[in-house]
Amino acid sequence: MTVGSGISVSDGRLNVLGETILTDVKDNVIVTPATGGLLTNGAFIGVHSDQTGSRRVFPIGKLRDLRFMCVFRFKLWWMTQRMGSCGEEIPYETQFLIVEGKEDQSSAINYVVFLPILEGDFRAVLQGNSNNELEICLESGDPDVKEFDGSHLVFVAAGSDPFDVITNAVKTVEGHLQTFSHRERKKMPDMLNWFGWCTWDAFYTNVTADGVKQGLESLEKGGIPPKFVIIDDGWQSVGMDPTSEGAIADNSANFANRLTNIKENHKFQKNGKEGQRVEDPAMGIRHIVKQVKDQHSVKYVYVWHALAGYWGGVKPGLVETGQYESKMSYPVSSPGVDSNEPCDAFNSIAKNGLGLVNPEKVFSFYNDLHSYLSSAGIDGVKVDVQNILETLGAGHGGRVKLARKYHQALEASISRNFPDNGIISCMSHNTDGLYSSKRSAVIRASDDFWPRDPASHTIHIASVAYNTVFLGEFMQPDWDMFHSVHEMAEYHGAARAVGGCALYVSDKPGQHDFNLLRKLVLPDGSILRAKLPGRPTRDCLFSDPARDGKTLLKIWNLNDHNGVVGVFNCQGAGWCKNEKRNLIHDEQPDTITGIIRAKDVDYLPRIAGDKWNGDAIVYSHIHGDLVYLEKSTSLSVTLKTREYEVFTVVPVSEISNKVAFAPIGLIKMFNSGGAVKELNCEVESSGTIQMKVRGCGPFGAYSSVRPKRIQVDGQEVEFEYEEASGFIRFDLRVPEEEMYLWNVVVEL
């Protein structure tokens, strides 16, 4: 018998906290207890093997009749979710797996997490086979890197709270590998707290300096000023090799192009002309950055670049880039990736090759690029196409070694040149990078927002939510841009309000829905961002809200003094494992009824205080009403396909003399409760509530009695009170200062 803490292999069974999770476990499977971690119920699974080779697959044991949720890479760059109940349903390239145990006699359920990790120069992932066996696939990415230890390939952890188990499991692996940092230990860039605009869908690679100004001016005129801008692909100096085959996507990116100079192209030079270069830095990208910051009150400007410089890397043999010693390399993807969705971008790069900067020179490359950008006033970078590194490991000691070299150089340059930790990681859903990230704090959480693909919108929301269960332990997930004028705009906007993420649109100039944006953005350009990565509620974790025809997706998050739950009907479309692409599988999904409960906000008791009795106020954004929910009761919610609802969930505070109070927040905003920054219900003068509140517009609260008076910054204000529901409403004017906190006093 091999024993780990709470985890053992005995008589061919993997037992976790006394419950069998895998049967027919192979004799060569070993369990090593975790030491010094946060989990008492955690251990590493590995294998004894005399085999060597750059890719090996090891069956572990059979998984049957237990519900699971996993996230796997459906294409080279991105993950999505899959639910099932047996081993054969686990896809290739599974990077995270959580299994639901069965209820015991006390109705308790244990959740078992499997984290395939890095060991030496090898990367492990999970997959299933036709015998319902869970397998470990181990790869180095270099035919010459063949020898491995095999004792610490997958970390397994268990407990009664799935979110705590996942967090503590990742933190334990953090201590074991010491190559990455958990999200909680990373500096979050301030741009997350402001509204932004991205140039991508507005202009694609045809973006110009004038286009950037047009986009900002257009939003400002409607009273929604962007405080950050991302200048996406299209600003760099790039070109094709004479022998390359062009691969221009429908969004005008040419994957065959390579970087020819670290400085901007003529479109971003003052009075620039194609084919000519102005060397005066003041005439370069600095001129447009200075304009947008001086004339449009933009706080942060980010620009796009690929991890390798551009899609096709850095062009070898040029005077301008010769010091980086780039060489032509030809990517080779792994069999697991090849078995999933094909990718035009990868196929182009594989055919035309990539100019890979010498790993020993890559810090100089990043530092030269970023120091130039920083000197021009740029505050950060969106670093895209990151997973391409895993296909280039041959001759470099393997994919893990190459990724770590590049990521260490990238993060060192970011730290030196962008002090606010200005980086967004993109196309980066592989564990090579995740387990090598010590500083990067923001990660795009799913495939792109595809405005013209009807199948993609519900898929996008569901994928981000489930990917976040894993990704949110490493970085703050970014839900991508969206369009404020679009048939699914409110759906996307509501999801971002509960996601705890950056909020930015990619509207074309003049095409904006300001009524929608005002539900997300305050007049000073700030947003009411929730505190955590938004994740599916516990009762949604193992149900499939895209395919099962009966489940509503609920996403929960926390504010300082309340919770928020977004509810979405995502049924009807999903990634098809047979056709290897997103498909609408049901043109007319049914209307679905579900329930909302206070306990859907998993961590609500942590902010409610010890005296909370479990009662809550639930405020509906769509209907504009509130319901008093006693502990363990629920409220029904019915949604048609592609409909949504957002609920603010507020613990009820019992004041003296059995008076109850609960502040909701700015009731016209999606995340109403994000406005309540401080709350004191236990003041000396009996029956007085003190709050600090952000923003402007109608403010709502619940009170079991009519207030005697309400004061804002010492001035009494008029209010409405509904006797039947206890709903209080009063208005907050637009403050003169950014991020201003109103002092609100309610006397009961």
Side-chain angles (χ1 to χ4, degrees):
M1 182 173 75
T2 309
V3 180
S5 299
I7 298 169
S8 66
V9 172
S10 177
D11 298 326
R13 298 174 181 271
L14 176 68
N15 298 313
V16 179
L17 302 182
E19 180 179 0
T20 297
I21 302 299
L22 301 179
T23 61
D24 299 309
V25 174
K26 303 300 181 182
D27 291 339
N28 66 332
V29 173
I30 56 174
V31 176
T32 304
T35 57
L38 297 171
L39 279 161
T40 55
N41 302 314
F44 293 93
I45 288 181
V47 293
H48 283 305
S49 176
D50 295 329
Q51 298 180 36
T52 62
S54 61
R55 184 177 188 270
R56 286 288 178 264
V57 176
F58 300 101
I60 301 301
K62 293 184 178 180
L63 176 66
R64 288 179 289 204
D65 301 323
L66 290 174
R67 296 201 302 172
F68 72 79
M69 187 276 288
C70 68
V71 291
F72 71 101
R73 285 197 298 166
F74 70 98
K75 62 171 71 169
L76 175 62
W77 324 105
W78 306 112
M79 296 190 299
T80 193
Q81 78 280 3
R82 177 76 58 79
M83 289 76 172
S85 60
C86 60
E88 69 175 351
E89 296 174 297
I90 297 173
Y92 292 111
E93 282 294 315
T94 290
Q95 301 187 122
F96 168 88
L97 171 68
I98 182 169
V99 177
E100 181 187 49
K102 294 183 177 178
E103 288 188 14
D104 61 20
Q105 293 179 347
S106 63
S107 298
I109 296 175
N110 282 314
Y111 300 89
V112 185
V113 172
F114 292 78
L115 296 178
I117 61 172
L118 310 180
E119 186 189 73
D121 294 329
F122 283 76
R123 166 186 175 263
V125 288
L126 301 173
Q127 59 193 43
N129 65 28
S130 58
N131 294 322
N132 283 326
E133 288 176 317
L134 179 66
E135 297 178 332
I136 299 173
C137 178
L138 196 61
E139 293 177 291
S140 73
D142 186 336
D144 293 331
V145 178
K146 303 176 181 180
E147 295 186 1
F148 53 87
D149 175 58
S151 61
H152 292 69
L153 302 181
V154 179
F155 185 66
V156 182
S160 59
D161 185 306
F163 304 110
D164 283 351
V165 171
I166 296 165
T167 295
N168 291 330
V170 172
K171 288 181 176 179
T172 302
V173 173
E174 175 190 12
H176 168 70
L177 291 178
Q178 298 187 11
T179 56
F180 74 99
S181 297
H182 189 271
R183 169 183 53 82
E184 293 173 358
R185 299 207 298 119
K186 294 179 176 179
K187 174 180 173 57
M188 292 294 153
D190 185 54
M191 53 80 70
L192 291 174
N193 300 310
W194 303 89
F195 172 63
W197 176 68
C198 178
T199 63
W200 182 240
D201 283 334
F203 297 106
Y204 296 120
T205 55
N206 298 317
V207 62
T208 64
D210 284 341
V212 173
K213 290 187 285 186
Q214 291 169 18
L216 295 172
E217 289 168 358
S218 182
L219 284 159
E220 280 184 350
K221 286 178 181 176
I224 305 292
K227 294 297 181 177
F228 74 86
V229 59
I230 300 173
I231 302 174
D232 215 297
D233 190 359
W235 70 273
Q236 291 174 289
S237 298
V238 300
M240 262 176 57
D241 296 345
T243 57
S244 292
E245 294 184 24
I248 300 176
D250 63 359
N251 53 26
S252 76
N254 187 344
F255 305 129
N257 275 337
R258 311 192 200 288
L259 194 70
T260 58
N261 196 305
I262 63 171
K263 297 181 180 179
E264 70 288 323
N265 61 38
H266 72 281
K267 296 183 298 176
F268 284 84
Q269 293 180 341
K270 192 172 184 179
N271 304 318
K273 296 180 180 179
E274 190 168 5
Q276 299 181 15
R277 173 164 298 283
V278 178
E279 295 301 332
D280 182 357
M283 302 290 282
I285 198 170
R286 180 192 298 178
H287 87 278
I288 181 61
V289 174
K290 188 175 190 306
Q291 280 188 41
V292 301
K293 288 188 174 182
D294 290 349
Q295 298 175 18
H296 300 284
S297 299
V298 168
K299 293 177 178 290
Y300 306 106
V301 178
Y302 280 45
V303 297
W304 180 99
H305 71 77
L307 188 67
Y310 198 71
W311 291 92
V314 176
K315 191 169 184 176
L318 298 181
V319 172
E320 295 87 349
T321 56
Q323 65 269 38
Y324 309 125
E325 300 178 5
S326 66
K327 292 183 179 180
M328 291 305 299
S329 301
Y330 291 85
V332 178
S333 60
S334 68
V337 168
D338 285 343
S339 71
N340 288 326
E341 183 172 324
C343 175
D344 291 341
F346 174 77
N347 291 339
S348 169
I349 298 168
K351 179 185 294 184
N352 293 309
L354 181 145
L356 183 68
V357 170
N358 182 340
E360 300 304 318
K361 302 289 184 179
V362 72
F363 172 74
S364 295
F365 170 65
Y366 289 140
N367 187 56
D368 289 351
L369 172 61
H370 295 157
S371 63
Y372 175 72
L373 293 172
S374 179
S375 71
I378 300 292
D379 303 285
V381 285
K382 173 183 173 182
V383 183
D384 214 342
V385 204
Q386 294 197 15
N387 284 4
I388 196 65
L389 282 185
E390 72 176 62
T391 69
L392 300 166
H396 295 285
R399 55 189 290 174
V400 172
K401 187 168 288 184
L402 183 64
R404 190 155 294 152
K405 190 82 173 179
Y406 263 68
H407 281 282
Q408 286 173 348
L410 175 67
E411 294 192 331
S413 177
I414 296 295
S415 178
R416 174 179 288 192
N417 295 292
F418 303 125
D420 196 40
N421 200 23
I423 179 171
I424 301 169
S425 296
C426 193
M427 299 176 77
S428 55
H429 288 190
N430 70 9
T431 46
D432 312 49
L434 291 173
Y435 288 126
S436 299
S437 168
K438 288 208 165 193
R439 295 177 180 271
S440 302
V442 180
I443 185 169
R444 268 279 309 282
S446 80
D447 201 349
D448 294 8
F449 167 78
W450 297 107
R452 295 179 294 279
D453 180 2
S456 70
H457 300 291
T458 54
I459 293 172
H460 184 98
I461 304 308
S463 291
V464 174
Y466 286 96
N467 287 346
T468 294
V469 174
F470 179 51
L471 291 177
E473 301 300 330
F474 299 87
M475 305 184 206
Q476 182 64 46
D478 178 324
W479 288 60
D480 199 14
M481 66 196 89
F482 70 106
H483 296 179
S484 70
V485 176
H486 191 278
E487 63 177 347
M488 297 293 285
E490 289 226 357
Y491 195 88
H492 279 282
R496 284 150 181 80
V498 300
C501 55
L503 176 66
Y504 55 107
V505 295
S506 192
D507 295 350
K508 292 181 183 295
Q511 298 183 19
H512 315 293
D513 183 340
F514 290 108
N515 289 329
L516 167 59
L517 292 176
R518 278 187 279 271
K519 297 180 181 182
L520 293 159
V521 187
L522 295 169
D524 64 0
S526 67
I527 63 173
L528 301 179
R529 188 169 72 90
K531 294 166 68 71
L532 302 173
R535 290 163 285 184
T537 58
R538 193 182 300 204
D539 59 346
C540 289
L541 271 179
F542 302 96
S543 301
D544 190 341
R547 298 175 181 84
D548 69 8
K550 61 183 181 180
T551 300
L552 295 174
L553 172 61
K554 296 185 291 184
I555 302 170
W556 70 274
N557 212 322
L558 274 185
N559 296 306
D560 290 298
H561 297 283
N562 50 65
V564 60
V565 178
V567 188
F568 303 86
N569 188 333
C570 297
Q571 298 289 342
W575 188 79
C576 178
K577 63 183 179 181
N578 297 319
E579 297 200 27
K580 313 292 186 188
R581 62 189 179 98
N582 288 338
L583 285 178
I584 295 175
H585 54 261
D586 186 348
E587 294 284 354
Q588 295 182 314
D590 291 339
T591 297
I592 299 174
T593 297
I595 60 170
I596 181 82
R597 303 164 297 183
K599 71 177 183 179
D600 287 334
V601 182
D602 209 81
Y603 292 171
L604 194 61
R606 302 184 186 187
I607 62 169
D610 295 337
K611 296 180 181 179
W612 184 45
N613 67 1
D615 293 357
I617 293 297
V618 175
Y619 173 75
S620 159
H621 173 80
I622 296 290
H623 297 289
D625 57 14
L626 61 79
V627 173
Y628 190 111
L629 278 188
E630 294 183 352
K631 182 178 181 180
S632 301
T633 60
S634 62
L635 176 68
S636 68
V637 53
T638 300
L639 299 177
K640 297 177 181 177
T641 180
R642 297 184 164 204
E643 287 187 340
Y644 75 93
E645 175 63 283
V646 180
F647 295 99
T648 302
V649 183
V650 192
V652 174
S653 298
E654 191 171 296
I655 319 300
S656 59
N657 300 322
K658 301 294 184 180
V659 173
F661 183 82
I664 297 165
L666 296 176
I667 57 178
K668 296 299 184 182
M669 305 287 284
F670 280 129
N671 184 22
S672 304
V676 181
K677 307 307 292 181
E678 295 183 21
L679 173 63
N680 185 0
C681 297
E682 298 180 3
V683 292
E684 291 183 7
S685 54
S686 178
T688 300
I689 311 296
Q690 294 183 348
M691 295 179 282
K692 287 191 181 293
V693 175
R694 275 190 57 216
C696 59
F699 187 94
Y702 164 81
S703 176
S704 60
V705 298
R706 181 182 182 86
K708 298 173 182 175
R709 67 178 60 84
I710 298 176
Q711 293 181 319
V712 177
D713 279 5
Q715 295 185 345
E716 191 167 339
V717 297
E718 294 183 357
F719 63 90
E720 299 175 4
Y721 180 71
E722 293 179 0
E723 296 284 350
S725 64
F727 201 170
I728 305 168
R729 297 180 186 85
F730 60 91
D731 289 326
L732 295 172
R733 68 179 186 275
V734 178
E736 296 179 1
E737 301 174 23
E738 280 187 351
M739 305 289 277
Y740 184 75
L741 290 176
W742 298 106
N743 286 297
V744 177
V745 177
V746 180
E747 296 181 25
L748 300 175

